[in-house]
Amino acid sequence: MAHSVEMLGQECFDLKNKAIAHLHDYSFMDEIPTIDYSLLFSKDHNERAKSLEHLGKACQDFGCFYLINGVEERVVEGALKGISDYFELTNQEERSEYLKKNSMDRIRWYLRSDAGENRENLKIVTHPEYHCPSKPDSCKDAIGEYLKGMHEVELGLAKAISTTLGYEETYIEKEFKLEAGFDVATLNLYPPSLQSKGSTGLAEHTDPGFFVSLIQDVNGGLQVLSHQGNWITANIPRNTIFVGIGDHLEILTNGKYKSHIHQVILDNNEVKRISMATLHGPSLDTFVASAPGFINDSHPPTYRGMTYKESLELNGFDEIDVQSSLIQLQMPLSL
């Protein structure tokens, strides 16, 4: 009995030490980390190493982060105005021209207002070929300029994240064939809470691909489920880009970097909210499976491999829908 009490005392001591350590480790705090894109490529070796370490912890502990100094503020503001102009300067009849026509749509409009979802959106395939409505004039060019800058950031983040994983800079870019990557942007218009038919703007989900980037005009609504199981309300500073890990980086790293679950809640929305979420994916023909470097006896392969196109269509959706199939790709646990 004395031995058991001694062991219990040691366990309590260990737990106390862990708790103290957690207070000094941001990964246990419910605050989404901020990454300065410019510092990831600093000429100061120590500064760059520290920034890359911070990025690696953000990817592993949160699956998401705020990105500053990525795309110019002027360009972000221009894109948000272009999105606003699209919804303000066109009528619903004009927008309904882009209702689903076939599985190969490259522009698709969508409107839903019920207890499970409240938003109007327009999905556009933006890479490797850019598609966008021609009206209004201010929309296509402004969004196109932002997406061009964001593609450069995507390639830069691929280099930086590859480094945090212990690989050469070109690792992710080559594995995902990002120069031919399939990217889809979703232009969202969320109503104020008083006009919605429920509190849910968009139900909880993860996103396929390498990562998702988000810009918005006002704060409110986006919530992220931390890897510790707590819902965090995202407070995205103006002209800051929210970046969240996608399903296919989780698959490639065999769960080392996990995609993040998120949702949009409208309870506190006093005004309408404009946002654009861009899913940056591998090329459609890229076969994505867990890489050998992330598999060992302690970490057997967790996901089935298949092409990006196959995974997007796995649940009966079209490519442009960019819906997650992560749960279906998980292998059954061996007994």
Side-chain angles (χ1 to χ4, degrees):
M1 179 64 71
H3 181 67
S4 297
V5 172
E6 182 178 83
M7 289 182 65
L8 181 60
Q10 182 63 46
E11 288 176 0
C12 290
F13 179 79
D14 290 342
L15 285 172
K16 182 180 179 181
N17 280 344
K18 286 181 180 178
I20 293 171
H22 291 177
L23 291 174
H24 298 282
D25 184 351
Y26 82 83
S27 67
F28 289 87
M29 298 169 61
D30 289 340
E31 184 174 340
I32 297 171
T34 298
I35 301 297
D36 187 330
Y37 181 77
S38 64
L39 296 183
L40 296 174
F41 306 96
S42 172
K43 293 181 180 179
D44 183 313
H45 176 76
N46 291 331
E47 191 172 54
R48 180 170 184 265
K50 185 177 179 180
S51 297
L52 287 168
E53 181 183 7
H54 188 42
L55 174 64
K57 287 176 68 66
C59 290
Q60 187 158 3
D61 295 342
F62 282 84
C64 61
F65 51 87
Y66 302 136
L67 188 74
I68 59 174
N69 295 322
V71 180
E72 289 181 57
E73 291 185 6
R74 168 192 65 81
V75 177
V76 174
E77 290 288 351
L80 290 170
K81 183 179 185 304
I83 298 164
S84 179
D85 286 350
Y86 175 73
F87 289 114
E88 291 283 344
L89 302 180
T90 60
N91 57 49
Q92 196 169 108
E93 182 179 354
E94 290 174 309
R95 298 196 290 276
S96 67
E97 172 190 350
Y98 298 108
L99 280 166
K100 179 176 178 176
K101 295 182 177 65
N102 58 65
S103 63
M104 295 306 293
D105 287 343
R106 287 304 182 248
I107 303 177
R108 185 176 290 176
W109 177 77
Y110 181 84
L111 175 65
R112 186 170 173 184
S113 182
D114 57 41
E117 184 175 343
N118 288 271
R119 64 169 176 161
E120 178 181 353
N121 71 52
L122 181 80
K123 290 191 174 184
I124 56 176
V125 174
T126 63
H127 196 267
E129 185 177 350
Y130 177 45
H131 301 263
C132 191
S134 56
K135 296 180 181 179
D137 295 338
S138 57
C139 177
K140 185 174 184 177
D141 291 344
I143 293 174
E145 184 178 9
Y146 165 78
L147 291 168
K148 183 179 179 180
M150 194 60 220
H151 183 66
E152 293 303 313
V153 170
E154 175 191 7
L155 296 179
L157 285 177
K159 291 181 172 66
I161 293 174
S162 294
T163 302
T164 69
L165 291 168
Y167 286 82
E168 62 180 21
E169 283 191 337
T170 57
Y171 175 68
I172 289 175
E173 183 178 346
K174 289 178 179 178
E175 288 294 314
F176 284 163
K177 302 179 186 175
L178 291 180
E179 283 297 349
F182 184 71
D183 296 353
V184 177
T186 304
L187 287 58
N188 294 302
L189 173 62
Y190 291 101
S193 57
L194 291 175
Q195 296 177 12
S196 65
K197 295 183 179 179
S199 62
T200 304
L202 185 60
E204 60 183 73
H205 64 286
T206 63
D207 289 315
F210 173 26
F211 69 82
V212 58
S213 61
L214 174 79
I215 56 173
Q216 61 180 21
D217 63 344
V218 294
N219 249 319
L222 178 64
Q223 294 184 342
V224 177
L225 186 65
S226 74
H227 291 343
Q228 285 72 44
N230 303 314
W231 282 107
I232 306 170
T233 297
N235 293 303
I236 309 173
R238 188 78 176 181
N239 295 310
T240 297
I241 300 169
F242 174 86
V243 175
I245 298 301
D247 294 343
H248 288 76
L249 185 58
E250 176 170 341
I251 293 169
L252 180 69
T253 63
N254 198 33
K256 180 178 176 67
Y257 288 174
K258 290 181 171 61
S259 59
H260 70 296
I261 298 172
H262 54 286
Q263 62 184 5
V264 177
I265 301 297
L266 304 178
D267 287 345
N268 297 320
N269 278 21
E270 296 180 358
V271 297
K272 67 182 180 181
R273 172 174 167 257
I274 296 287
S275 73
M276 181 165 70
T278 307
L279 276 71
H280 307 269
S283 70
L284 289 170
D285 65 350
T286 296
F287 185 88
V288 182
S290 296
F294 300 101
I295 297 172
N296 54 43
D297 292 341
S298 301
H299 300 90
T302 311
Y303 309 95
R304 292 186 291 135
M306 63 176 58
T307 67
Y308 189 48
K309 177 180 174 65
E310 289 170 336
S311 70
L312 294 179
E313 297 174 340
L314 187 60
N315 292 322
F317 290 100
D318 301 328
E319 295 169 358
I320 196 171
D321 293 321
V322 281
Q323 294 294 310
S324 174
S325 58
L326 187 66
I327 293 175
Q328 290 75 14
L329 292 173
Q330 291 176 343
M331 290 184 179
L333 294 174
S334 56
L335 299 178

